[in-house]
Amino acid sequence: MTTVPTLQSQGQPSPDQAVHGQPVLRVNGKRLNQSLDDLAAIGQMDNGGICRLAFSPEDVQGRELVRRWMIEAGMTVRLDTAGNMIGRLPGQLDLPALATGSHIDTVPCGGKFDGCLGVLAGIEVARTLQEHSLQLDHPFEVIVFADEEDTMIGSRAMAGTASLDVTDYRRKDGHPIDQCIQQVGGDWSRLALARRTRGEVCAFVELHVEQGGVLETAKAQIGVVQGVVGMQRYQIQITGRPNHAGTTPMDLRQDALVAAAQVVLAVNQLATEPPGQRVATVGALQVSPNAANIVPGKVVASLDVRDLDQDVIDKLVNDLKIELVAIAQRTHTHIEILPQLNVAPSPAAPHIQSTIAEVCTTLGLSSMSMPSRAGHDALEIGRFTDMGMIFVPSEGGFSHSEVEYTSPDQCTQGANVLLETLLRLDQHYS
């Protein structure tokens, strides 16, 4: 790799500042944040939120703007068969690529940082290398993944974990996934060709807003992500007997909602005792007949369990099954637990975690190790190559909302950590 300057600490240092006697290499924070504002103008709503659903006209417009920025940064741009947009700078050597990126599609009313920061910081890294006439040993790629917020078809296809059966996908807007991919230049009939290997991508590092309040609470500037948690979802069906609310004595009831209440409390207790990083949530209840004067006869509840350790998830679910038997006996109900979703954890590569932490020390930024409890494209990319993630704080812990906010300085700090991490990984993998 061409010799590069060492990155300066937080903020916007002047060009003549140095670290360990070497000149500074840093991103242009003002330009990065202007790019975030410019992209946010596409799909902006009256309430300040962003609606840029995957494959929508707004998504296509946003992709075209990002494509233009990639080309201006000296990158060649291609679309794979899953609709992923990939910008690439050549490397000095014939080596697998170092990659970064994220997504630019949003939820129906999202913010301007979720996903977009990771893409635009990657482009800012390319711009910085171009402006300093620097070329990595490895090719450098910035990837805009297709449909992260719904099907994650882009990252799953790249990892080779996507189903090739179009009927397995139920997009929330009802549009068939094969037609959606066609709209952005992909080709469903050749979806398997989007798959990549470690021989093509040696490492992937994703910069993302935390989407929670852990960093802000801890007053840490950077999150060094230990991995993306695994997730299991279940449907819990509780069957009792509907009956008259006035004439049925309490000791003769088979109240499904009373049983459901005990299930919710059991889930909460199993997730909090003893303390740990696992989380478990009952987020939805469907009560039947759902009338004020009828003892509930049936409840269908959701269960979402997440942790970095698959064994921890499995133990919690197994312990819950034992509790469900006891609750059913106490309430004279019948309880079934049915699996709905099983996503295995995706750990971050230890040497990428340590590199990010070392970069933070060099830059004078406080950092902490933490799991990502939300799913990201890195979850799937980590299935086939070394993966790492960098978090920056989300004010108030808010995301997927028009009030989502990460300050310009925090965005710039994250991009500088990404830049220096990639520079160091370029030497590590050479």
Side-chain angles (χ1 to χ4, degrees), residues 12 27-35 124 412:
Q12 289 293 312
V27 303
N28 184 324
K30 182 177 180 180
R31 181 174 58 196
L32 169 64
N33 284 283
Q34 184 61 56
S35 297
E124 188 57 38
T412 302

Side-chain angles (χ1 to χ4, degrees), residues 60-74:
V60 172
Q61 186 180 353
R63 282 166 160 259
E64 183 53 37
L65 178 60
V66 170
R67 178 180 177 275
R68 191 187 81 202
W69 285 336
M70 286 177 168
I71 292 172
E72 291 172 352

